[in-house]
Amino acid sequence: MNAKALFSGIVAGSAIFGALTLLTTPKSGEELRENCKTGMLKFRSNLNQLTTDTKHASLQVKQTVNESKETFSKVGEEIKETIEDYRQDIEPTLIQLKEDIDALQRSVDQTKKIT
């Protein structure tokens, strides 16, 4: 392939592409630059808003985590207290049941001795 022909093809293609671009562009260069500038300003504004919202959300998550830790700690302590209260409440009943079982066992043993 000839380098001169390749170079000529690239130049001709570029010229044709440039001409087509100028003819098919719906806006003038100034309008296009203004639209790009406006788009960039909107993008920066949205990025700043996203950054602010992300920081706010991060603070809310940290606060929620701290509150959750405190709440779960309190709930855990209350559950422990409730279980301990339950154990203390049922302890007399358990002792009585053990005594009744022992008495019943003694009765069974005495009945066996008699028979």
Side-chain angles (χ1 to χ4, degrees):
M1 178 178 231
N2 189 354
K4 186 176 182 181
L6 178 64
F7 182 71
S8 296
I10 291 174
V11 169
S14 297
I16 293 171
F17 182 73
L20 284 175
T21 302
L22 288 174
L23 293 174
T24 58
T25 302
K27 298 179 183 179
S28 69
E30 187 175 320
E31 286 178 303
L32 192 57
R33 282 190 295 274
E34 187 63 34
N35 285 349
C36 287
K37 189 177 182 181
T38 303
M40 185 56 77
L41 290 174
K42 286 180 182 179
F43 175 75
R44 286 182 183 166
S45 174
N46 290 340
L47 187 60
N48 288 336
Q49 184 66 39
L50 178 64
T51 303
T52 302
D53 291 347
T54 302
K55 288 179 182 177
H56 182 69
S58 175
L59 290 175
Q60 285 182 333
V61 167
K62 288 178 184 177
Q63 182 180 3
T64 301
V65 167
N66 289 336
E67 289 176 3
S68 296
K69 285 180 183 178
E70 291 175 13
T71 301
F72 285 130
S73 176
K74 288 178 184 177
V75 168
E77 290 173 10
E78 289 176 4
I79 289 173
K80 286 178 185 177
E81 289 175 7
T82 302
I83 291 171
E84 185 59 34
D85 289 345
Y86 175 74
R87 285 182 182 166
Q88 289 176 1
D89 287 345
I90 66 168
E91 187 174 352
T93 305
L94 287 175
I95 292 170
Q96 183 62 43
L97 281 172
K98 287 179 182 178
E99 290 174 359
D100 290 346
I101 290 171
D102 290 342
L104 189 61
Q105 185 64 42
R106 285 191 297 272
S107 294
V108 169
D109 290 343
Q110 286 178 357
T111 305
K112 283 183 181 179
K113 287 181 184 178
I114 295 174
T115 57

